Amino acid sequence: METWDAICARRNVRQYLPKPVPEADLKRVVEAGWRAPSAKNRQPWDFVVVTDHGQLQELSTVWRGAGHIASAAAAIVLVVPVPPDDRRRLTDQYDVGQATMAMMIAATDLGIGTGHSSVGDQEKARSILGVPDDHLVAFMLGVGYPADRPLTPIRKPDRRPFDEVVHFGRW
């Protein structure tokens, strides 16, 4: 798939086929996150790749919007150090967002769907994954083959009108 097609085909997938994602494909998706840009090239993230069904079930309970993680073939969990201040919190969140989008596009290129989730219960998430207390479990990305339809470019995306969103030079 061409890059533009992957961007246009990417959508949140929250229902997955009961089919494993090959390890090589998971590594490629995670490598896309690893290659993402970050402020001052700090690369604040660690990624935990989970494929164990029991762990996925448990992770699906750390946020009310994480139910899709239970049926995913895998989850990629993004972990960052506890930030020392608000500025670092903002830059780390931006950086993790860039890594997440890079992984989502790489997955789409492989025909693999993704659906992101926040994490509410830090203690439980840390316990499930063995993450130390000086780190935050920032976000989770469910990964698997879409159950409803394949990933193809969306011709009429459900977006605010382009001309209302994009401003050139001034608001």
Side-chain angles (χ1 to χ4, degrees):
M1 188 179 291
E2 294 293 319
T3 304
W4 184 249
D5 288 341
I7 290 168
C8 292
R10 195 225 56 83
R11 60 184 168 83
N12 286 329
V13 174
R14 290 193 166 82
Q15 294 179 345
Y16 307 98
L17 294 174
K19 174 182 171 184
V21 173
E23 183 178 335
D25 288 350
L26 283 173
K27 285 182 177 178
R28 183 172 182 125
V29 171
V30 176
E31 183 177 345
W34 175 76
R35 290 178 174 272
S38 65
K40 296 184 180 180
N41 199 30
R42 284 189 328 92
Q43 306 165 55
W45 47 66
D46 281 276
F47 307 118
V48 181
V49 180
V50 178
T51 57
D52 177 77
H53 182 72
Q55 268 186 296
L56 293 168
Q57 280 290 134
E58 286 185 86
L59 286 172
S60 74
T61 67
V62 300
W63 181 253
R64 60 189 162 109
H68 65 286
I69 300 295
S71 65
I76 301 169
V77 183
L78 296 93
V79 178
V80 296
V82 171
D85 54 42
D86 286 342
R87 180 176 183 193
R88 182 66 61 83
R89 181 182 318 277
L90 287 173
T91 58
D92 286 357
Q93 285 183 345
Y94 189 87
D95 292 347
V96 167
Q98 292 186 104
T100 300
M101 191 64 178
M103 289 189 279
M104 289 174 138
I105 292 170
T108 301
D109 183 54
L110 296 168
I112 299 167
T114 56
H116 60 282
S117 173
S118 293
V119 175
D121 190 337
Q122 283 293 315
E123 275 189 43
K124 187 172 187 180
R126 283 185 187 120
S127 174
I128 294 165
L129 300 167
V131 172
D133 289 343
D134 63 346
H135 283 69
L136 296 173
V137 181
F139 298 98
M140 300 184 293
L141 193 59
V143 179
Y145 295 100
D148 56 351
R149 64 188 191 280
L151 297 167
T152 57
I154 300 165
R155 298 296 169 210
K156 293 184 178 184
D158 183 14
R159 306 313 263 174
R160 289 175 42 211
F162 186 83
D163 293 338
E164 289 180 19
V165 174
V166 179
H167 310 273
F168 291 94
R170 291 180 57 91
W171 183 270

